[in-house]
Amino acid sequence: MHDRIPNPCRLLIVGINPGTLSEEVDAPFAHPGNRFWPALDKAGITPYRVYASEGLSEQDAKMLAERGIGFTNLVARMTPKASDLATEELVEGGERLEAVVDKHRPGAVMFAGIGAYRGAFGRRKAQRGLQSGMIAGVPVWVVGNPSGLNAHETVESLAASYREVWEATA
């Protein structure tokens, strides 16, 4: 799955790595069980719910770009589960992410997944929310992983955290 980063970029959303379907259809958070798109809609960040399981439509891609919403992954390698990634891959991905953020200068970075964030940046005690450290001088927020495998999150809890980040970038 390739990066989708508009210019200007208000919010860069960072996934851990593409899953099988996301890689196949070249769209972020494409699995129908993923709560990302319903939460983004519920948060009021998008004007309608995106259904990415068959890829992003031209209308979806245009709307996201106009709103300044960009996407990248920490690790480019597709795996069925993020837990299949090695720590070395996370660290290398963190280094690549710093270069991406430095190049595109988004208003904020929203990282979807606390465990991968901790592993990539060696911040073992990091908690969700606004981080004390930045990436390339850009504020970083960590939110819960929207995967259906993460039983600790709901569409409502994800939407609340997404809305907080979005409002902070206004």
Side-chain angles (χ1 to χ4, degrees):
M1 192 186 91
H2 74 281
D3 289 350
R4 295 175 179 271
I5 306 173
N7 183 16
C9 183
R10 175 177 172 178
L11 178 62
L12 180 61
I13 299 168
V14 181
I16 300 169
N17 73 312
T20 308
L21 185 58
S22 286
E23 183 73 13
E24 181 182 315
V25 302
D26 191 30
F29 306 100
H31 191 281
N34 193 298
R35 294 166 289 195
F36 176 80
W37 295 108
L40 208 65
D41 178 37
K42 188 167 190 70
I45 297 171
T46 56
Y48 59 87
R49 180 172 171 191
V50 171
Y51 292 88
S53 62
E54 294 181 12
L56 294 177
S57 70
E58 285 184 35
Q59 176 185 347
D60 296 338
K62 181 179 178 197
M63 176 271 296
L64 292 164
E66 286 174 350
R67 297 193 59 79
I69 301 170
F71 297 90
T72 191
N73 284 299
L74 179 63
V75 176
R77 183 172 73 92
M78 182 277 299
T79 61
K81 297 180 302 208
S83 60
D84 294 337
L85 298 170
T87 302
E88 296 78 22
E89 290 177 284
L90 298 177
V91 171
E92 289 171 11
E95 293 168 359
R96 184 195 75 82
L97 181 61
E98 285 192 51
V100 168
V101 172
D102 191 45
K103 176 182 177 183
H104 294 281
R105 308 304 302 166
V109 172
M110 184 174 87
F111 203 99
I114 187 76
Y117 174 79
R118 288 173 178 159
F121 296 99
R123 299 181 181 145
R124 290 172 179 36
K125 295 184 179 184
Q127 299 295 313
R128 289 190 285 194
L130 180 62
Q131 302 302 298
S132 59
M134 297 187 180
I135 296 177
V138 174
V140 177
W141 297 74
V142 177
V143 298
N145 186 329
S147 167
L149 299 174
N150 181 4
H152 301 291
E153 294 288 350
T154 65
V155 168
E156 291 74 20
S157 67
L158 291 165
S161 61
Y162 295 177
R163 188 177 311 105
E164 180 182 13
V165 177
W166 185 249
E167 289 173 356
T169 66

